[in-house]
Amino acid sequence: MTTQNEWPLWEVFVRSKAGLDHKHCGSLHAPDAKLAIQMAREVYTRRQEGSSVWVVPSDQITASDPGDKDMYFDPMEDKVYRHPTFYVLPESVDHM
Amino acid sequence: MYTQAMDTMGREEGGPKAVRSAEEAQLEARFDARIDDGGFIEAKDWMPAHYRKTLVRQISQHAHSEIVGMLPEGNWITRAPTLKRKAILMAKVQDEGGHGLYLYAAAETLGTSRDQLLDALHTGKAKYSSIFNYPTLTWADIGVIGWLVDGAAIMNQVPICRCSYAPYARAMVRICREESFHQRQGYDSLLVMMQNGTDAQKAMVQDAVNRWWWPSIMMFGPPDDQSPNSAQSMRWGIKRISNDDLRQKFIDATVPQAEVLGVTLPDPDLQWNAERGHHDHGPIDWAEFWRVVGGDGPCNRERLGARVQAWEDGAWVREAALAHARKQSQPLKASA
């Protein structure tokens, strides 16, 4: 339902500080990448929430289908042996 | 302000559709179960049409309120008494613009474009909070807006951080985190005037409190027994606490703050009720509320006029930026 005159939509990812991942924090409209970066700074980092910003055109993101959620993710539900807590060890070596 | 959206929905919206297919009934049962479970709904998930419509309406009215709310305060940026207060006010007004953008983005995830949302505001089809249709006559109004109006907004907004529609809830978490500074800076500026000011400055603060008190407690919307859409919104986890309960909470929190400040609240019936453990208050003039919501407040025409003019004056900038972006991307596409 986007009209011709509307600026394209961008998804914004912010790295809160060096060493951490970029994390999705929202979206905004901007005519091009350069302005999207500029606006992302004004909209999402007014209180030094970031040290780096990525912007990605929203239509470039491919997502899993929410309708497939159960079929897609449930097979991992019964594989508890993939977690370290599944294995009960003697207390003397349990820090391993 | 923000729960007003549901109360002003009116009857033209109609209720949920009566006739549904078997498949739709099944989807709705699954949706209801998720809500009952305290789960969140994401943008691409199935949702009842009326849930979507209610949310678009509430989130966009909330967004419009943030943007229109920039006008009464922006009015005082050039006249702030010190550089410090000017910097604080600019930061606050910029925050309101940011809050509007978070909320427009959340509303857009429901399939309504930004242009459609703005068009609804500019043509008067969409409402914004009634509070912004009152004028800011003196510098004390800016402090009182921070203390009372933002205080009421916070009271209203904190429960929406747990709204069942996740993109709205996420926007609200961000907004609430930033909003606390808005209330504190307002109270701080009033405190300076009440403690160090001249008699005229103290009288100015009291006058501002007298004018903003009633409109502020109207921000929570009509009484529960006159709020017909609340039950459905509670059921859907869009609304968590009733209008009257929020209003009571706000009044109970504000009375001791007024005492510390050294101002009185303009309600002769306002007093502590030990039995209820709450303050009782006098009757609210709901005729005034509906008059302002309906378009006949002191500044409705001025506010909307300013928004429409800003939109029209900015048209050439938006078009030029888009034309420039298209031109820049063409050589890239041609070589790809």
Side-chain angles (χ1 to χ4, degrees):
Chain A
M1 277 206 267
T2 311
T3 60
Q4 285 284 305
N5 292 325
E6 217 163 76
W7 287 349
L9 193 64
W10 303 75
E11 299 302 319
V12 180
F13 299 81
V14 172
R15 186 204 296 281
S16 58
K17 61 179 185 185
L20 297 181
D21 294 332
H22 281 79
K23 210 172 138 196
H24 183 245
C25 71
S27 53
L28 51 79
H29 288 277
D32 60 20
K34 196 175 161 190
L35 268 171
I37 288 278
Q38 177 75 39
M39 288 161 136
R41 188 194 72 160
E42 305 299 337
V43 178
Y44 291 105
T45 66
R46 288 194 300 281
R47 289 173 177 78
Q48 282 196 301
E49 289 94 336
S51 60
S52 164
V53 178
W54 290 348
V55 293
V56 180
S58 303
D59 61 9
Q60 294 299 305
I61 290 182
T62 309
S64 61
D65 185 343
D68 291 344
K69 183 166 89 59
D70 298 347
M71 181 182 83
Y72 209 67
F73 296 106
D74 282 0
M76 305 329 157
E77 199 184 348
D78 57 0
K79 296 177 180 58
V80 284
Y81 47 84
R82 290 182 172 177
H83 296 277
T85 45
F86 177 71
Y87 305 93
V88 179
L89 301 185
E91 207 178 316
S92 56
V93 293
D94 201 27
H95 62 276
M96 126 183 357
Chain B
M1 217 4 317
Y2 301 98
T3 54
Q4 273 179 13
M6 281 180 300
D7 296 310
T8 53
M9 258 176 102
R11 290 182 185 83
E12 87 277 10
E13 295 294 320
K17 264 192 308 177
V19 187
R20 294 173 307 171
S21 66
E23 191 195 359
E24 207 172 310
Q26 198 188 7
L27 286 166
E28 188 150 350
R30 210 179 297 162
F31 174 89
D32 286 343
R34 195 140 145 212
I35 300 272
D36 291 342
D37 225 31
F40 286 105
I41 308 299
E42 291 289 347
K44 298 279 162 60
D45 295 339
W46 185 91
M47 62 187 84
H50 196 60
Y51 176 85
R52 185 184 299 274
K53 201 169 184 178
T54 304
L55 276 167
V56 168
R57 183 149 185 150
Q58 182 173 335
I59 302 172
S60 64
Q61 291 194 14
H62 194 163
H64 299 328
S65 301
E66 300 283 355
I67 301 295
V68 175
M70 297 169 80
L71 298 171
E73 292 185 293
N75 188 33
W76 280 89
I77 288 178
T78 55
R79 288 175 281 165
T82 64
L83 253 172
K84 174 184 149 189
R85 294 290 166 197
K86 183 187 279 207
I88 292 171
L89 185 57
M90 283 203 295
K92 179 178 190 297
V93 173
Q94 192 193 14
D95 270 357
E96 308 297 3
H99 296 175
L101 291 179
Y102 307 153
L103 289 162
Y104 281 127
E108 285 169 82
T109 63
L110 291 159
T112 306
S113 75
R114 180 78 59 95
D115 280 359
Q116 285 174 311
L117 296 169
L118 290 176
D119 188 61
L121 171 67
H122 295 158
T123 55
K125 264 190 286 177
K127 301 261 186 281
Y128 52 86
S129 177
S130 56
I131 196 79
F132 300 119
N133 289 316
Y134 291 88
T136 41
L137 302 179
T138 69
W139 170 250
D141 288 32
I142 299 304
V144 170
I145 286 178
W147 174 38
L148 296 181
V149 175
D150 288 287
I154 291 168
M155 212 54 107
N156 237 324
Q157 290 173 156
V158 168
I160 311 178
C161 295
R162 293 180 292 121
C163 173
S164 63
Y165 188 58
Y168 189 26
R170 286 193 289 267
M172 289 317 304
V173 168
R174 197 183 299 277
I175 289 173
C176 287
R177 204 185 296 145
E178 296 179 351
E179 198 88 37
S180 160
F181 132 68
H182 295 185
Q183 190 183 19
R184 292 174 70 95
Q185 65 81 32
Y187 194 82
D188 175 72
S189 102
L190 297 177
L191 212 49
V192 168
M193 284 188 271
M194 291 306 289
Q195 290 179 345
N196 310 327
T198 62
D199 285 348
Q201 285 169 324
K202 289 176 192 172
M204 185 170 80
V205 173
Q206 183 63 58
D207 169 66
V209 171
N210 292 348
R211 283 182 287 109
W212 287 94
W213 172 249
W214 291 105
S216 295
I217 63 171
M218 288 177 196
M219 283 175 65
F220 298 94
D224 294 344
D225 57 6
Q226 292 164 42
S227 183
N229 297 302
S230 283
Q232 180 64 78
S233 290
M234 289 273 202
R235 168 71 189 80
W236 274 334
I238 295 174
K239 190 182 171 92
R240 298 284 187 187
I241 305 179
S242 84
N243 294 355
D244 285 334
D245 286 351
L246 283 169
R247 184 166 18 246
Q248 183 71 64
K249 214 174 150 197
F250 174 72
I251 292 171
D252 290 339
T254 306
V255 168
Q257 294 166 357
E259 275 165 27
V260 172
L261 201 53
V263 295
T264 56
L265 299 171
D267 178 357
D269 297 324
L270 188 68
Q271 59 179 343
W272 178 250
N273 182 329
E275 209 174 298
R276 287 202 309 128
H278 291 292
H279 292 86
D280 291 335
H281 63 83
I284 297 171
D285 183 0
W286 292 112
E288 173 182 325
F289 171 77
W290 289 113
R291 201 163 55 239
V292 177
V293 167
D296 212 12
C299 300
N300 295 55
R301 273 165 289 272
E302 184 186 332
R303 299 287 184 245
L304 202 54
R307 279 311 315 158
V308 170
Q309 196 188 339
W311 178 251
E312 285 171 358
D313 288 353
W316 71 272
V317 180
R318 294 191 300 276
E319 282 161 24
L322 199 57
H324 177 74
R326 281 187 185 134
K327 219 160 137 189
Q328 296 298 304
S329 68
Q330 259 155 19
L332 255 168
K333 278 198 183 130
S335 66

